[in-house]
């Protein structure tokens, strides 16, 4: 299950400081040539893997996946540490006390991880071991490297789609275009006698859980950056197209009434999630929602489909936003060679990836694991697999200011939604300036 962007902002900022010298890591062993021969040639070692998963079934999934590695490398003792976020990893590296392996929920920090050397470049050992990066779909290859350095590998992926409540849909097929989404959102919305929203057909607010501007951007094919790393938000007409559509639907609901409804909804990660309890008919969410519905809303009759797209861009339909969990070897790791064997196993071994996917219901990230007959599939999870494989699917390009840039855009969109901004062109141009000024400060 994915964690939201906001808590990672501090991590994205803190990582800037890592360009400075890090205590205690100058003499630490680094990835390089390893003993040749069988796996048993690797010396005995104890390695520690930090990951962010915390629920009991998630922790068990990691233990089950690592079991295959322990069988292959009995001389390597693996200690798993749960519920670790990026800020703790960063602090540990700065203090010269990093784990051997660390996993992160945030692809937004990959550029900083690679640029500052916080995570070691894996290219030399990838080449040495003959690991074929081509087994990874291109979208995954893109978000695990920056400026030629592949400092992390993909562990599992997230693919976003449209969830719809079949009972509330009243026999309608899921929308494929924005105009169809608008029509259905209005038709399925239920209000009380005072016009207050009781059931929303669709929540156009970017403050609604997974309806962030980055996730909605795939509806129109919005471009984030120019080739030189500067912001393309103001110059790409797709963003104006999206925000114009969004504001028209918000105005139909009434911004104040929509906000009142949103603030009264249940928590995203609880059994009271509004989609679970029939307060929202259609919602954009990640593939993990299938597992949460199975746990918390077993009787919910629902379906999944790709997100709707702009009427004039039918070629985008079938794609969606892609992100994922990443894993690598921090600078200063005490046992980098053993750590690499674990990273390689968890990210390329078909059985290990399928074990994790079946337990966590995230998308496995190699072509072999996607095609494995052991991968549990049903119609709703298949949508995520199809979105992941679609050529129109999109992941945010790695950028040294990725978290800041998304937040700058998101803050503007909130003002736009409320009506505090009326000149969309000028507002988007100001977003560009804000992002580009930050890029200059970062030396971009």
């Amino acid at each position: 299950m994915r964690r939201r962007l906001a808590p990672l902002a501090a991590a994205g900022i803190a990582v800037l400081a890592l360009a400075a010298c890090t205590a205690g890591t100058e003499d630490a062993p680094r990835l390089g040539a390893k003993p040749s021969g069988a796996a048993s040639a690797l010396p005995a070692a104890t390695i520690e893997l930090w990951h962010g998963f915390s629920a009991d079934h998630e922790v068990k999934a990691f233990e089950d996946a690592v079991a295959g590695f322990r069988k292959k490398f009995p001389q390597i003792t693996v200690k798993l540490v749960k519920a670790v976020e990026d800020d703790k990893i960063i602090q540990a590296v700065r203090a010269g006390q990093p784990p051997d392996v660390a996993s992160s929920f945030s692809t937004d920090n990959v550029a900083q991880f690679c640029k500052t050397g916080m995570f070691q470049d894996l290219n030399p050992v990838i080449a040495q071991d003959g690991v074929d990066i081509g087994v990874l779909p291109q979208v995954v290859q893109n978000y695990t490297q920056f400026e030629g350095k592949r400092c992390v590998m993909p562990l599992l992926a997230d693919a976003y789609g449209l969830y719809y409540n079949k009972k509330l849909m009243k026999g309608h097929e899921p929308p494929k275009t924005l105009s169809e989404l608008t029509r259905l959102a209005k038709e399925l919305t239920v209000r009380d006698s005072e016009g207050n929203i009781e059931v929303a057909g669709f929540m156009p607010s970017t403050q609604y859980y997974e309806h962030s501007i980055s996730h909605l951007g795939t509806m129109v094919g919005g471009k984030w950056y120019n080739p030189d790393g500067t912001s393309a938000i103001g110059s790409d007409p797709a963003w104006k197209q999206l925000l114009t559509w969004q504001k028209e639907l918000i105005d139909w609901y009434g911004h104040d009434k929509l906000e009142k409804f949103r603030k009264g909804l249940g928590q995203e990660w609880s059994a009271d999630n509004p989609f679970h309890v029939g307060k929202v008919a259609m919602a954009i969410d990640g593939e993990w929602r299938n597992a949460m519905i199975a746990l918390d809303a077993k009787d919910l009759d629902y379906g999944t489909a790709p997100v709707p797209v702009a009427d004039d861009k039918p070629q985008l339909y079938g794609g969606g936003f892609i992100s994922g969990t990443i894993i690598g070897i921090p600078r200063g790791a005490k046992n980098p060679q053993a750590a690499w064997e674990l990273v390689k196993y968890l990210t390329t071994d078909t059985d290990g990836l399928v074990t994790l996917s079946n337990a966590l219901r995230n998308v496995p990230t190699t072509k072999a694991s996607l095609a494995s007959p052991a991968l549990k599939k049903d119609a709703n999870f298949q949508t995520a697999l199809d979105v992941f494989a679609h050529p129109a699917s999109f992941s945010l390009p790695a950028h040294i200011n990725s978290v800041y840039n998304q937040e700058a855009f998101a803050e503007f969109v909130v003002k736009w939604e409320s009506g505090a901004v009326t000149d969309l062109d000028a507002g988007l141009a100001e977003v560009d300036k804000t992002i580009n000024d930050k890029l200059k400060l970062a030396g971009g």
Side-chain angles (χ1 to χ4, degrees):
M1 131 189 354
R2 303 298 303 145
R3 273 50 173 176
R4 294 183 59 76
L5 175 67
L8 298 172
I13 295 170
V15 81
L16 293 170
L18 290 170
C21 184
T22 304
T25 62
E26 291 83 355
D27 298 325
R30 295 186 64 83
L31 277 173
K34 63 178 182 179
S36 59
S40 59
L42 198 66
T46 296
I47 59 177
E48 199 165 80
L49 185 159
W50 291 1
H51 64 81
F53 294 101
S54 57
D56 289 345
H57 75 282
E58 296 173 335
V59 174
K60 183 179 184 302
F62 246 94
E63 288 286 355
D64 291 346
V66 171
F69 175 82
R70 289 175 171 137
K71 183 176 181 180
K72 184 177 180 180
F73 294 92
Q75 75 276 29
I76 305 299
T77 299
V78 180
K79 179 182 178 182
L80 300 178
V81 181
K82 67 179 182 179
V84 180
E85 298 286 358
D86 283 17
D87 56 351
K88 183 175 179 179
I89 297 170
I90 291 167
Q91 291 166 10
V93 173
R94 295 181 68 185
Q97 298 178 335
D100 296 286
V101 180
S103 174
S104 168
F105 289 130
S106 179
T107 58
D108 296 311
N109 285 333
V110 168
Q112 290 289 359
F113 288 165
C114 292
K115 187 178 181 67
T116 63
M118 176 187 176
F119 278 43
Q120 299 185 44
D121 186 6
L122 302 177
N123 279 325
V125 285
I126 287 172
Q128 177 179 274
D129 287 3
V131 175
D132 180 11
I133 294 299
V135 303
L136 305 174
Q138 190 61 50
V139 66
V140 175
Q141 294 183 43
N142 292 345
Y143 69 63
T144 52
Q145 64 86 36
F146 182 70
E147 294 183 344
K149 289 185 178 180
R150 187 171 302 284
C151 63
V152 291
M153 291 284 282
L155 187 55
L156 294 171
D158 294 315
Y160 286 75
L162 182 75
Y163 286 70
Y164 58 94
N165 183 312
K166 291 184 177 181
K167 179 180 179 181
L168 297 179
M169 289 286 280
K170 302 175 183 177
H172 292 291
E173 292 296 316
K176 292 184 177 181
T177 65
L178 291 182
S179 63
E180 291 176 358
L181 177 59
T182 297
R183 177 179 57 80
L184 270 178
K186 293 178 179 180
E187 182 175 338
L188 303 180
T189 293
V190 178
R191 299 177 188 261
D192 65 15
S193 59
E194 296 180 354
N196 295 310
I197 303 166
E198 294 184 335
V199 176
F202 180 81
M203 289 290 288
S205 170
T206 56
Q207 297 182 81
Y208 176 77
Y209 305 137
E210 298 299 329
H211 289 194
S212 69
I213 191 63
S214 55
H215 299 165
L216 297 182
T218 59
M219 291 174 154
V220 295
K223 180 182 176 184
W224 281 80
Y225 303 116
N226 297 310
D228 62 357
T230 56
S231 176
I233 292 168
S235 59
D236 184 359
W239 291 115
K240 185 175 181 180
Q241 180 184 30
L242 175 66
L243 293 178
T244 299
W245 165 81
Q246 179 219 25
K247 187 65 165 64
E248 289 175 354
L249 187 53
I250 287 175
D251 289 347
W252 179 83
Y253 276 107
H255 178 265
D256 292 346
K257 290 188 181 299
L258 197 65
E259 278 296 280
K260 179 181 178 180
F261 176 72
R262 182 182 68 83
K263 291 177 180 178
L265 295 173
Q267 295 296 314
E268 178 178 7
W269 305 113
S270 74
D272 291 328
N273 179 289
F275 184 75
H276 292 190
V277 298
K279 300 292 288 185
V280 173
M282 297 177 288
I284 293 172
D285 215 331
E287 78 297 327
W288 64 82
R289 183 57 53 189
N290 292 295
M292 298 194 73
I293 290 172
L295 287 172
D296 298 329
K298 295 181 176 64
D299 296 329
L300 180 64
D301 187 12
Y302 76 102
T304 60
V307 295
V309 300
D311 292 58
D312 62 342
K313 299 173 181 176
Q315 72 278 8
L316 298 179
Y317 188 73
F321 187 82
I322 305 296
S323 186
T325 305
I326 52 177
I327 189 168
I329 303 169
R331 181 171 62 208
K334 296 179 179 62
N335 299 286
Q337 305 305 335
W340 162 242
E341 292 296 341
L342 179 57
V343 169
K344 181 173 66 173
Y345 177 84
L346 288 174
T347 59
T348 63
D349 182 83
T350 298
D351 290 341
L353 282 167
V354 170
T355 296
L356 279 173
S357 176
N358 285 341
L360 304 177
R361 302 319 286 149
N362 296 144
V363 177
T365 46
T366 65
K367 295 174 183 177
S369 59
L370 288 166
S372 171
L375 182 63
K376 296 178 182 177
K377 303 175 184 179
D378 57 34
N380 288 325
F381 189 68
Q382 185 63 50
T383 297
L385 300 178
D386 293 341
V387 168
F388 183 67
H390 198 280
S393 286
F394 174 85
S395 179
L396 280 173
H399 194 283
I400 57 173
N401 294 326
S402 183
V403 173
Y404 176 87
N405 296 347
Q406 290 175 74
E407 291 186 336
F409 193 9
E411 288 173 5
F412 164 76
V413 174
V414 170
K415 295 176 182 177
W416 165 250
E417 293 174 3
S418 71
V421 173
T422 56
D423 188 334
L424 183 55
D425 289 321
L428 292 175
E430 185 62 28
V431 171
D432 280 349
K433 182 178 184 304
T434 299
I435 290 173
N436 293 338
D437 287 347
K438 178 70 171 180
L439 181 63
K440 291 176 183 177
L441 289 174

